[in-house]
Amino acid sequence: MSTLAIVGLDVILLIVLLMMSVPLPYCFGGALLFMSIFGGVSMKSMMLWAYSQSVGTVLLASPLFILAGTYMGGSGVAKKLLDLCDAFVGRIKGGLGIISVVTCAIIGAISGSGFTGVAATGPIMIPRMVEQGYSRGFATALVTVSSVLGLLIPPSAIMIIYGWITETSIPACFLSTVGPGVLVMILFCIINLRECKKFDLTLLPPMQLKEKVQMTTKRTISAIPALMMPVIILGGIYGGIFTATEAAAVAALYSIPVGLFIYREMKLKDLKTMTMDSICSIGSIMVMVVFCLMLSQTFVMLQVPQALIKIIFSLTTNKTIILILMNIFLFVVGMIVNDSTGMLLCAPLLLPLVRELGLSPIHFAAIMGVNLAMGGVTPPYASILYLGMRIGQCEFKDILKPTMKLLLFGYVPVVLLTSFWPDLSMFLPKLFHLA
């Protein structure tokens, strides 16, 4: 049996296991076992290679950001940020939706995760929006879809993984998704304002200027510890004070005294519970990462990327068509597996093709980021979407239509712009002399 046939069967096996809802680490472990039996790849050599790759400090950033995001959700940081945004736009029609979108972006700049935004913002904002007159489906969809901004606004966990795998500058990868992330945020706000015309919203009466200034000042002062988190993290990374891994550790440590002593939203027993929950999640994720690494390296050893390049260029040499096919492929991958898994699998597989097309690895980081982030809220996998449904107590039939509308008009245009307008993702890396 040819190598490509074996790889094809392995991919089919992986998809079948995923569709059967087998836990992710076992899915990739099973696919890896298949390759070791039928592909002639030594499991021992793969394990030694995976160990050598996973002992570095760069990979430590992802679990630390997970820990930081968990602490942040229980420390009161999200609530203070929401209150601050509410002081500025909370009393205008559609203001609550804008608050949700912007807060998810800010939380993304702290946690680097797509889950933290909906987990921290959803329980507060969705009931408040429904009470004001938003439909539950749209309110849940807006908060949930906005949470993917955590994967685009730096520091992003998947950009750390991409930079680590491809040996690309991680700060440059962070900056590559800022333009697409800000554009997505703006489009979501515009869609929210347009949809609000359909709702009979009950707004609080306008405040007098003196009252508004007093409230805004009070909430700004209260939110300073929360606002300092992205300043410390991003300022430290781009100022050369510490690495992305050290920034994740600082974020986790900083959120503890903020929650315990400043906002007093977190107790010592809560800290222990959150730590244990994070450890369980991190353990499962790291096992999956190791299996993904081994499976990706197996494909590389069997020269699957080179075979893929040969097949694609035998069909067409048109760069535009190849980019469209690549976007479709990444989007489908994002629909099946989570963003980190998709990055681990596809970055080594597609990078040789990207170089053959003459694209910058930094530009490709943004292309992968926007596609895999969109997959996280698109069924059947849609882990972020299902979490949002649970938090918003919303049925799938109610959330599906507004979610598709937000993706179609707010996200797909940005995916296309990111792919075919390199300056959108390359401007900031070039500005900081990282590209």
Side-chain angles (χ1 to χ4, degrees), residues 61 65 109 111 126 139 160 235 246 268 302 316 326 331 350 352 433:
F65 271 121
S111 68
I126 294 173
I160 293 171
E246 292 164 345
L268 283 174
L302 295 174
T316 180
M326 192 183 299
F331 174 61
L350 295 178
H433 305 289

Side-chain angles (χ1 to χ4, degrees), residues 117-432:
V118 66
T121 309
I124 303 170
M125 286 307 300
I126 294 173
R128 193 183 297 184
M129 292 171 73
V130 171
E131 184 180 340
Q132 193 180 86
Y134 282 82
S135 72
R136 183 169 292 276
F138 181 79
T140 306
L142 184 64
V143 173
T144 302
V145 175
S146 297
S147 69
V148 301
L149 291 167
L151 302 173
L152 303 178
I153 304 297
S156 165
I158 59 172
M159 287 297 105
I160 293 171
I161 293 172
Y162 177 89
W164 170 60
I165 292 173
T166 62
E167 298 182 350
T168 306
S169 165
I170 291 177
C173 294
F174 282 164
L175 291 174
S176 72
T177 55
V178 172
V182 171
L183 191 53
V184 168
M185 182 176 69
I186 292 169
L187 289 175
F188 282 172
C189 290
I190 292 171
I191 293 169
N192 162 69
L193 291 174
R194 183 175 178 82
E195 289 296 306
C196 283
K197 295 178 181 179
K198 303 175 182 178
F199 305 134
D200 183 19
L201 302 183
T202 304
L203 303 177
L204 292 173
M207 298 178 67
Q208 294 184 355
L209 180 61
K210 182 178 179 181
E211 291 179 307
K212 188 173 181 65
V213 169
Q214 288 176 343
M215 181 181 71
T216 304
T217 303
K218 182 180 178 181
R219 292 187 179 182
T220 301
I221 294 171
S222 179
I224 287 175
L227 292 170
M228 286 301 295
M229 287 187 75
V231 172
I232 291 171
I233 295 167
L234 297 177
I237 292 173
Y238 295 112
I241 299 172
F242 39 66
T243 65
T245 304
E246 292 164 345
V250 169
L253 291 173
Y254 178 82
S255 59
I256 295 173
V258 169
L260 288 175
F261 306 118
I262 298 178
Y263 294 145
R264 298 181 181 180
E265 297 277 345
M266 189 164 61
K267 308 296 182 185
L268 283 174
K269 62 178 181 179
D270 299 328
L271 181 63
K272 180 181 177 182
T273 302
M274 286 187 286
T275 303
M276 292 303 298
D277 290 343
S278 296
I279 289 171
C280 292
S281 299
I282 290 167
S284 174
I285 289 169
M286 295 311 291
V287 171
M288 180 194 69
V289 165
V290 170
F291 283 146
C292 281
L293 279 173
M294 294 168 70
L295 189 59
S296 297
Q297 183 63 13
T298 299
F299 292 157
V300 172
M301 287 180 63
L302 295 174
Q303 297 188 328
V304 174
Q306 289 81 354
L308 185 64
I309 292 170
K310 190 178 293 184
I311 292 170
I312 288 175
F313 279 101
S314 68
L315 297 173
T316 180
T317 56
N318 186 295
K319 185 177 178 179
T320 301
I321 294 175
I322 294 173
L323 274 174
I324 291 172
L325 291 173
M326 192 183 299
N327 276 288
I328 293 171
F329 173 72
L330 289 171
F331 174 61
V332 171
V333 169
M335 290 171 64
I336 298 172
V337 298
N338 64 33
D339 45 83
S340 301
T341 307
M343 189 66 78
L344 286 162
L345 279 175
C346 297
L349 193 65
L350 295 178
L351 192 61
L353 175 60
V354 168
R355 287 179 173 146
E356 203 64 36
L357 290 173
L359 296 179
S360 164
I362 298 171
H363 180 203
F364 185 55
I367 293 173
M368 287 202 72
V370 294
N371 275 286
L372 294 175
M374 182 167 61
V377 288
T378 309
Y381 180 74
S383 55
I384 299 174
L385 183 68
Y386 300 143
L387 175 62
M389 287 168 54
R390 288 200 299 272
I391 291 173
Q393 299 177 359
C394 181
E395 297 292 331
F396 184 73
K397 60 182 176 62
D398 297 322
I399 197 176
L400 183 60
K401 184 178 177 179
T403 297
M404 292 300 105
K405 187 177 290 187
L406 286 162
L407 291 180
L408 185 61
F409 297 108
Y411 212 106
V412 172
V414 177
V415 171
L416 296 174
L417 282 172
T418 303
S419 299
F420 297 105
W421 183 30
D423 286 344
L424 180 62
S425 54
M426 295 298 292
F427 172 74
L428 285 176
K430 288 178 179 177
L431 184 67
F432 284 82

